[in-house]
């Protein structure tokens, strides 16, 4: 009788595969955030709408390759005009979220951006209450108090606070929450449900179409400016290509980690990701931080963890 138990080769390789997925998820999530910050703030590439359009173009192409050619997941068809209209509505909110988030990175350090982004559960609860009349247990709402209070404290102690950047970051966080609630409402029937990979396959090209006129109007001659930059420093092209590919891998690894672990595991990893991103960004960009700011962020993270626990127990 074997005494190897769980340490048989298939089990070990399975664990290594899962660890590799988690490491890839962390790397892509934090990598795209830090590279966005570097491009939009430090490098001086001040075109967040065009950058978002590059992300969506990569997501369109790579989603098609992954689903149609590599068959990572079966392709799901859009079955009606109504379902397509719902996907367009989600794409619009998705665009607003990503563009606002990228704009905020021009003005705010990653550490503060992550602190504000951690308030997503608050906005999710508010939108769910307004749009679905969904009531949570009272303890769930109580846990949202430290989530909001922490950001208020962090805002007061943020040496690099910028009002417009803060408004954009709040807008991005609210839009992200609105998309998750809308997705639950609009694509709730069995015939209309799409997994995250197929939803991205349809949303990303629509996002490109929505972002193209915005880019042309608000960031005029951005392609010419980018090509001029490339003649001086070819690295900008490689930065944009790598950054856009990373934006797709964020979604791919998000899906794969959920598939091979659970949604709860992803939630726990997400709570830790913010803290890791804060530490890494401070080490790289050396932005000033205060005890008050870090105290506020810590309170917010504790609030998010308590909120997740309250939701889990009241299911």
């Amino acid at each position: 009788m074997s005494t190897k138990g769980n340490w048989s080769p298939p089990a070990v390789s399975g664990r290594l595969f899962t660890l590799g997925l988690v490491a890839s998820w962390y790397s892509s999530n934090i990598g795209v955030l830090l590279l966005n910050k570097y491009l939009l703030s430090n490098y001086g590439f001040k075109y967040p709408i065009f950058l978002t359009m590059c992300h969506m173009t990569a997501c369109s192409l790579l989603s098609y390759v992954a689903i149609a050619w590599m068959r990572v997941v079966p392709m799901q068809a859009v079955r009606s005009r109504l379902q397509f209209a719902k996907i367009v509505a989600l794409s619009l909110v998705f665009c607003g979220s990503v563009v606002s988030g990228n704009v905020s990175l021009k003005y705010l350090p990653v550490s503060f951006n992550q602190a504000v982004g951690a308030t997503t559960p608050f906005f999710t609860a508010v939108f769910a209450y307004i749009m679905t009349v969904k009531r949570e247990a009272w303890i769930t709402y109580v846990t949202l108090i430290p989530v909001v209070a922490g950001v208020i404290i962090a805002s007061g102690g943020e040496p690099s606070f910028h009002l417009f950047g803060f408004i954009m970051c709040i807008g991005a966080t609210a839009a992200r929450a609105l998309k998750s609630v809308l997705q639950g409402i609009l694509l709730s029937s069995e015939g209309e449900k799409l997994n995250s990979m197929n939803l991205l396959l349809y949303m990303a090209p629509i996002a490109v179409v929505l972002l193209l006129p915005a880019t042309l109007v608000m960031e005029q001659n951005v392609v010419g400016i980018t090509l001029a930059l490339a003649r001086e420093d070819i690295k900008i092209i490689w930065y944009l290509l790598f950054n856009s590919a990373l934006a797709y891998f964020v979604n791919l690894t998000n899906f794969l980690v959920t598939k091979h672990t659970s949604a709860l595991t992803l939630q726990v990893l997400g709570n830790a990701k913010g803290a890791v991103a804060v530490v890494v960004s401070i080490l790289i960009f050396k932005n000033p931080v205060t005890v008050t700011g870090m105290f506020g962020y810590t309170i917010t993270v504790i609030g998010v963890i308590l909120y997740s626990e309250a939701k889990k127990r009241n299911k």
Side-chain angles (χ1 to χ4, degrees):
M1 184 175 176
S2 174
T3 57
K4 290 182 181 178
N6 290 332
W7 293 103
S8 59
V12 173
S13 61
R15 284 174 182 164
L16 289 174
F17 177 73
T18 304
L19 282 172
L21 276 181
V22 170
S24 300
W25 181 83
Y26 264 102
S27 302
S28 57
N29 269 271
I30 295 172
V32 78
L33 180 68
L34 297 179
L35 195 47
N36 282 349
K37 174 63 179 175
Y38 174 73
L39 284 170
L40 293 166
S41 186
N42 297 62
Y43 190 87
F45 187 79
K46 303 183 186 300
Y47 305 101
I49 303 174
F50 178 71
L51 181 63
T52 306
M53 194 174 77
C54 290
H55 289 180
M56 294 302 119
T57 303
C59 286
S60 303
L61 295 171
L62 294 174
S63 290
Y64 185 79
V65 169
I67 295 173
W69 292 357
M70 298 176 68
R71 304 191 186 281
V72 173
V73 292
M75 184 176 283
Q76 296 172 284
V78 174
R79 300 186 179 187
S80 66
R81 289 182 180 179
L82 178 60
Q83 187 185 14
F84 180 74
K86 291 175 178 179
I87 293 170
V88 171
L90 285 173
S91 299
L92 188 60
V93 177
F94 183 49
C95 281
S97 170
V98 180
V99 170
S100 298
N102 284 339
V103 170
S104 74
L105 285 170
K106 281 178 67 176
Y107 303 99
L108 299 176
V110 171
S111 52
F112 187 54
N113 177 282
Q114 289 296 286
V116 177
T119 60
T120 302
F122 168 77
F123 290 103
T124 303
V126 169
F127 286 129
Y129 186 87
I130 294 169
M131 298 171 72
T132 67
V133 201
K134 183 183 177 184
R135 305 289 187 272
E136 299 286 355
W138 66 271
I139 190 67
T140 305
Y141 293 114
V142 169
T143 61
L144 291 172
I145 295 171
V147 172
V148 177
V151 169
I152 293 170
I153 293 167
S155 301
E158 176 52 56
S160 306
F161 183 84
H162 189 286
L163 182 59
F164 179 70
F166 178 69
I167 292 169
M168 285 292 101
C169 198
I170 287 286
T173 306
R176 191 159 54 244
L178 178 61
K179 177 187 165 286
S180 69
V181 174
L182 272 177
Q183 191 172 324
I185 297 169
L186 297 179
L187 302 177
S188 57
S189 67
E190 282 302 317
E192 291 185 332
K193 279 184 180 175
L194 296 171
N195 62 48
S196 60
M197 295 296 291
N198 274 275
L199 185 59
L200 184 68
L201 173 68
Y202 294 115
M203 282 202 311
I206 296 168
V208 173
V209 172
L210 293 170
L211 289 167
L212 183 58
T215 303
L216 294 173
V217 172
M218 300 175 72
E219 297 177 347
Q220 293 179 8
N221 197 30
V222 64
V223 175
I225 293 167
T226 304
L227 291 174
L229 277 171
R231 281 192 286 272
E232 295 176 16
D233 182 9
I234 192 64
K235 284 187 291 186
I236 183 63
I237 300 297
W238 294 111
Y239 285 148
L240 289 173
L241 288 172
F242 182 61
N243 186 237
S244 299
L246 266 185
Y248 171 71
F249 282 106
V250 167
N251 293 280
L252 177 63
T253 55
N254 194 75
F255 173 80
L256 291 174
V257 168
T258 306
K259 181 181 175 182
H260 289 276
T261 56
S262 67
L264 180 60
T265 301
L266 192 69
Q267 197 174 50
V268 173
L269 291 171
N271 292 337
K273 182 208 75 179
V276 174
V278 167
V279 173
V280 173
S281 71
I282 291 169
L283 291 172
I284 292 174
F285 298 112
K286 296 180 170 45
N287 56 283
V289 290
T290 63
V291 174
T292 305
M294 294 311 293
F295 176 66
Y297 178 61
T298 303
I299 289 176
T300 294
V301 172
I302 290 169
V304 170
I305 293 168
L306 292 173
Y307 172 82
S308 301
E309 283 297 312
K311 286 270 290 182
K312 189 170 67 175
R313 291 186 181 186
N314 286 291
K315 272 187 178 179

